[in-house]
Amino acid sequence: MPGNRHPEWRWPWDAASGYLVRACELCARAKGTDENAYLISPTTWQVCTRHQRWLDNRREEHTGSIPLHHLPDIIQAHHRRLTLERRLGESGRALFADAYAIAAYWWNLPVLSPPVWRERQNHLRPAKTDDVRCAPLVLYPEAVHMAEAMAARERRRLRGTLTTNQAHSWLHHVAALLDDWQMPADLAIQPALQWAARHQNPDPAHQPNPRPARGRYRRLPLPHPHTTQTTDTPLPELSCLPWQIGELLSPNLTPAPGGWTLTGRA
């Protein structure tokens, strides 16, 4: 502070980019502090894999981290997401943002929610976690799984090797995933169709750069229609899809542009 003025504090604080997420209290204690510690995150939540805790940006008193000992699939999903982003770089972050938006769409229309989400919510009831707070945690594994499936399609598209038949096969694969999750596939696939329509094959002016599937060239460039990002860009700004958790959506789904169809799916 200039001169001899006393420090001035404002609450709540606002991060210049991203969100303030409460740090794991066990990690903070190990560093010698009992005070509430915060970190800046591109998401409204983080996972402490060391202590198996879910951290978020709730600032009310008595709203600490959420134990994940009874939800190992959350920890597994977080490790898979980190692996995806390490392999693909900024493209991996963009694809997870898109997959997270798709999962948010499913959350906002309860008729599309898979039964496993209710099971996870039941595990969280002793922690008195409200629906909006627990939503990112509950949908996390399916969002990561979708990101992995979307990455397989993008790898071919950005190398210029994605054929029309392969694009339709990918949609059938996604529909099979939704069936496995006991979701109404014909409805739940609609946001994925919207995503596929935005991620069409590159235009003829773009020269694809074929690269081997393995080795140091596994990373993908940031795909169109995504724009330049930084490591602290908030998750909603990374996605080319508009949906966020908690939005009101109409159950009358608008067909995706581009003429995609699942006619004849087994």
Side-chain angles (χ1 to χ4, degrees):
M1 301 294 295
N4 296 321
R5 293 175 57 190
H6 294 291
E8 294 181 3
W9 299 88
R10 289 184 303 164
W11 184 265
W13 303 321
D14 289 319
S17 180
Y19 308 92
L20 280 174
V21 175
R22 187 171 294 186
C24 172
E25 56 265 38
L26 297 181
C27 290
R29 198 172 303 158
K31 293 182 180 294
T33 180
D34 291 326
E35 301 292 334
N36 290 334
Y38 290 82
L39 53 88
I40 294 178
S41 168
T43 57
T44 59
W45 42 264
Q46 282 290 331
V47 177
C48 175
T49 55
R50 180 180 181 183
H51 296 111
Q52 299 187 22
R53 289 173 178 252
W54 182 271
L55 317 163
D56 60 21
N57 65 341
R58 288 295 180 94
R59 303 178 190 176
E60 300 91 341
E61 292 295 326
H62 311 298
T63 54
S65 58
I66 301 174
L68 297 175
H69 301 92
H70 299 296
L71 294 168
D73 50 345
I74 304 297
I75 300 295
Q76 294 166 7
H78 189 64
H79 283 300
R80 294 204 321 270
R81 175 195 165 199
L82 295 180
T83 298
L84 178 73
E85 294 183 359
R86 274 196 303 269
R87 288 177 176 174
L88 300 186
E90 61 181 5
S91 179
R93 295 184 67 235
L95 290 172
F96 173 72
D98 288 344
Y100 187 81
I102 289 174
Y105 188 102
W106 296 335
W107 176 272
N108 293 340
L109 288 175
V111 68
L112 304 181
S113 299
V116 70
W117 288 4
R118 290 191 293 274
E119 295 173 13
R120 292 187 192 124
Q121 284 179 280
N122 290 335
H123 279 294
L124 295 171
R125 291 190 191 284
K128 299 180 180 179
T129 306
D130 60 81
D131 286 350
V132 174
R133 187 186 184 198
C134 75
L137 186 162
V138 168
L139 59 79
Y140 197 27
E142 285 67 39
V144 173
H145 204 142
M146 274 298 298
E148 292 169 337
M150 293 153 73
R153 182 186 185 277
E154 283 298 90
R155 190 178 298 281
R156 290 189 173 188
R157 183 180 77 92
L158 294 177
R159 288 175 177 151
T161 62
L162 180 69
T163 66
T164 300
N165 287 339
Q166 289 170 340
H168 281 280
S169 294
W170 180 81
L171 288 173
H172 296 315
H173 169 69
V174 172
L177 274 180
L178 300 176
D179 281 336
D180 289 342
W181 295 338
Q182 300 179 50
M183 300 171 68
D186 289 338
L187 293 177
I189 202 171
Q190 290 298 324
L193 298 179
Q194 299 278 356
W195 175 83
R198 291 171 181 258
H199 287 243
Q200 298 281 19
N201 276 325
D203 59 61
H206 175 78
Q207 296 298 321
N209 185 18
R211 290 178 174 176
R214 299 182 182 277
R216 64 190 180 95
Y217 293 112
R218 292 184 63 89
R219 290 201 169 198
L220 296 177
L222 192 64
H224 178 79
H226 294 269
T227 57
T228 303
Q229 58 170 278
T230 61
T231 55
D232 60 351
T233 302
L235 193 69
E237 296 179 18
L238 293 179
S239 179
C240 68
L241 300 173
W243 309 300
Q244 297 185 41
I245 291 172
E247 292 181 335
L248 294 177
L249 298 175
S250 170
N252 299 318
L253 303 179
T254 303
W260 293 107
T261 176
L262 287 177
T263 302
R265 180 171 65 85

